[in-house]
Each structure stands twice: as C-alpha cells, then as structure tokens.
C-alpha cells in the first residue's frame, strides 16, 4: 500500500481511499484528484482488494474510489463489505467497462468513472460527491442523472475467461488440476500451494497474480495468504474478537478468516 497524500488540510476536510491495482492509473487518479479537489485528503492508496478492505476498516474514509477489477476482492466485493466495516463511506467505481458501472446501483454507488479518467468527467464526480456531503442532498436525483448517462452508452464485453485448469507440481509429478476441484489456495513464498481433497501441489504463480484469473463468484479471499472455494465451505464460526474459522468439506484442517474479511460472509 502506497504512502497516503499528506498535504496540510483542515481537520474537517473530506477524506478518501483509492484502490487500483495498476500503479500508473492509481498515480494518475491521485494527481487528478489533487487538481480537481484540493482539500481532499487521500488516506490510503491500495494496490489490491485485500489492502483496500483493511484500509476501509482502519480509516473509514468519506469516499472510496474502487477499481472494479482487482486481484482477489473486486470493487463490488469491497462495496458490499463497506456496509459493515465503513457504512458512511461513499463509493465511486472506476472501471474500463460500462456494464460494470450498471452494477453500481445495486451497491449504492454515488458515481462511476470510466478509464481512462478524464478531467471533465472527474469534475462531475467531485461535484456529485460535494453535493452528497451537503445538507439536504438529493441522492435519487444524482442516480437518475447517472442512469441517463449509462442509457446513452453501449456496454462493452469483458471476455477474459476465468481459469478452468491449472498445472501444478507434486514432487516430480506434474498434475493437471480442474479449478473446480480446488478446496483452497495458500500463499507459499513466491509460489502458491493448491489444496484439493486428494492432497497438495505447488503452483509457480504468486497468489496475487492468481487472484485476477479466478472466478470471483466462486473463489473468495479470506486472508492475505488464503483464497477459498465457496463450494468447499462446510461452515463458518465467528469468535468474540470478530475473526472467523472456516470448516471445509473433504479436508480436516480449518482456515482462519481475518476480521476485515468476515464482512464478506455476513449473508452465509
């Protein structure tokens, strides 16, 4: 996670979090916001969904600019979790795909920004956010305005396929593993351990790179070092500290769920 922007601002200045896994795009958005909204204090600049969720819980910013496609937790996952960990945070989605912006309505977003973010479009977003901070704001009017913009656009399709098979090593043997059969993935230094009901194998791909290729509807990150197949979960228990423990189908061990990630399982 990058160092936040620390320019002097009034104590009551609005605060923000930026989550974008592409460094250049993240830096460009930071610079653009400094120009468009000088009094805004950027508290955290995050490069993946896990960092962003932890930063949301820690800082509880007024605004979160969330890239929808990130390794692990998507912007939509974060928006859903924010209702628990930072309910007052206003969400702005940043996306390359119009059809993703439509999902913003279901997650209570104030606005969306299409990549590459333009100065004029960012100015509109800043105006909407400022109105939302003002007494007597009309959220529904803002959403109707966004709906008109979306209706005038033709959605594009993101056809990048999720992984179906992976090749992993078990000793001298190379295994071809169906992703649906994976119980969970665990970070192992620069590599990733793949765990199935039958045993373990080593994947020569860091867990962060793997996150972006998995089906986000089926695989969820529950810890910085762990991704679990939701179909393999037999049960989840929350302890008094707010952390959780996952029981698995077909495996004797349990998995720890970080406190911040428990918000993703509130409906389970």
């Amino acid at each position: 996670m990058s160092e936040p922007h620390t320019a002097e601002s009034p104590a009551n200045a609005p605060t923000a979090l930026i989550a974008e896994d592409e460094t250049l795009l993240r830096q460009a958005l930071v610079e653009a916001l400094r120009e468009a909204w000088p009094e805004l204090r950027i508290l955290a600049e995050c490069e993946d969904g896990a960092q962003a969720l932890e930063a949301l819980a820690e800082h509880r910013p007024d605004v979160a600019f969330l890239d929808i496609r990130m390794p692990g937790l998507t912007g939509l996952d974060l928006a859903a979790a924010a209702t628990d960990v930072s309910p007052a945070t206003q969400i702005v989605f940043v996306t390359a795909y119009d059809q993703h912006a439509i999902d913003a309505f279901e997650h209570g977003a104030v606005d969306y920004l299409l990549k590459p973010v333009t100065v004029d479009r960012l100015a509109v977003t800043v105006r909407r956010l400022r109105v939302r901070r003002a007494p007597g704001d009309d959220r529904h009017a803002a959403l109707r305005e966004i709906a008109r913009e979306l209706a005038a656009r033709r959605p594009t399709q993101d056809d990048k396929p999720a992984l179906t098979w992976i090749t992993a090593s078990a000793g001298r043997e190379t295994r071809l593993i169906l992703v649906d059969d994976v119980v969970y993935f665990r970070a192992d230094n620069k590599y990733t351990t793949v765990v199935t009901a039958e045993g373990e194998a080593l994947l020569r791909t860091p867990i962060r790179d793997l996150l972006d290729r998995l089906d986000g509807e089926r695989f969820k990150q529950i810890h910085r070092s762990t991704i679990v197949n939701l179909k393999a979960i037999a049960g989840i228990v929350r302890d008094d500290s707010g952390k959780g423990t996952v029981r698995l189908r077909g495996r004797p061990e349990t998995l720890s769920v970080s406190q911040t990630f428990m918000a993703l399982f509130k409906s389970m």
Side-chain angles (χ1 to χ4, degrees):
M1 185 161 57
S2 304
E3 291 295 323
H5 176 43
T6 56
E8 293 185 6
S9 301
N12 63 346
T15 57
L17 171 153
I18 295 175
E20 165 62 68
D21 64 319
E22 296 186 42
T23 302
L24 294 179
L25 292 178
R26 185 172 65 251
Q27 292 174 346
L29 181 55
V30 169
E31 293 301 321
L33 281 168
R34 288 175 182 171
E35 293 291 329
W37 202 351
E39 66 271 30
L40 182 70
R41 290 193 297 130
I42 299 175
L43 302 179
E45 301 169 27
C46 308
E47 62 183 15
D48 59 45
Q51 287 184 358
L53 182 58
E54 292 176 354
L56 272 173
E58 177 183 356
H59 298 294
R60 301 193 176 191
D62 296 316
V63 186
F65 293 87
L66 305 178
D67 181 16
I68 285 186
R69 284 185 56 84
M70 286 186 294
L73 303 179
T74 67
L76 298 178
D77 291 330
L78 290 170
T83 60
D84 276 354
V85 301
S86 186
T89 298
Q90 301 183 69
I91 304 298
V92 176
F93 287 126
V94 184
T95 177
Y97 305 99
D98 284 3
Q99 78 272 18
H100 288 159
I102 296 173
D103 292 334
F105 295 101
E106 297 179 4
H107 292 79
V110 177
D111 205 351
Y112 73 98
L113 293 167
L114 283 178
K115 300 177 185 180
V117 177
T118 65
V119 172
D120 291 344
R121 186 62 182 80
L122 182 59
V124 172
T125 295
V126 170
R127 176 175 59 80
R128 286 172 175 160
L129 289 167
R130 281 174 163 157
V131 168
R132 285 290 301 275
R133 282 173 55 84
D137 65 81
D138 185 352
R139 177 187 179 192
H140 296 290
L143 289 176
R144 287 194 295 271
E145 185 178 349
I146 297 170
R148 285 194 294 270
E149 292 178 10
L150 286 171
R153 296 178 179 271
R154 180 180 180 181
T156 58
Q157 295 295 322
D158 178 14
D159 56 2
K160 184 179 180 180
L163 284 176
T164 303
W165 296 87
I166 54 176
T167 303
S169 301
R172 296 183 178 181
E173 180 185 3
T174 298
R175 297 180 180 174
L176 190 61
I177 301 172
L178 185 65
V179 171
D180 285 350
D181 292 337
V182 175
V183 176
Y184 65 94
F185 296 93
R186 183 181 68 243
D188 188 353
N189 295 317
K190 294 182 180 180
Y191 305 111
T192 300
T193 297
V194 183
V195 181
T196 67
E198 288 73 33
E200 300 183 1
L202 192 65
L203 181 65
R204 295 182 179 277
T205 302
I207 199 167
R208 185 177 181 277
D209 295 342
L210 181 65
L211 282 165
D212 196 35
R213 295 296 314 280
L214 294 171
D215 181 353
E217 296 296 320
R218 179 168 297 179
F219 289 89
K220 295 294 183 184
Q221 188 170 18
I222 60 172
H223 189 278
R224 277 187 171 274
S225 62
T226 313
I227 307 167
V228 68
N229 186 340
L230 295 182
K231 289 187 174 182
I233 294 178
I236 303 173
V237 178
R238 184 192 297 266
D239 62 24
D240 293 338
S241 70
K243 297 179 181 179
T245 301
V246 167
R247 291 187 298 105
L248 300 167
R249 305 180 194 277
R251 295 287 304 187
E253 70 270 30
T254 59
L255 303 177
S256 297
V257 185
S258 300
Q259 183 175 359
T260 49
F261 286 93
M262 280 299 294
L264 301 173
F265 297 93
K266 61 184 179 180
S267 62
M268 296 186 67

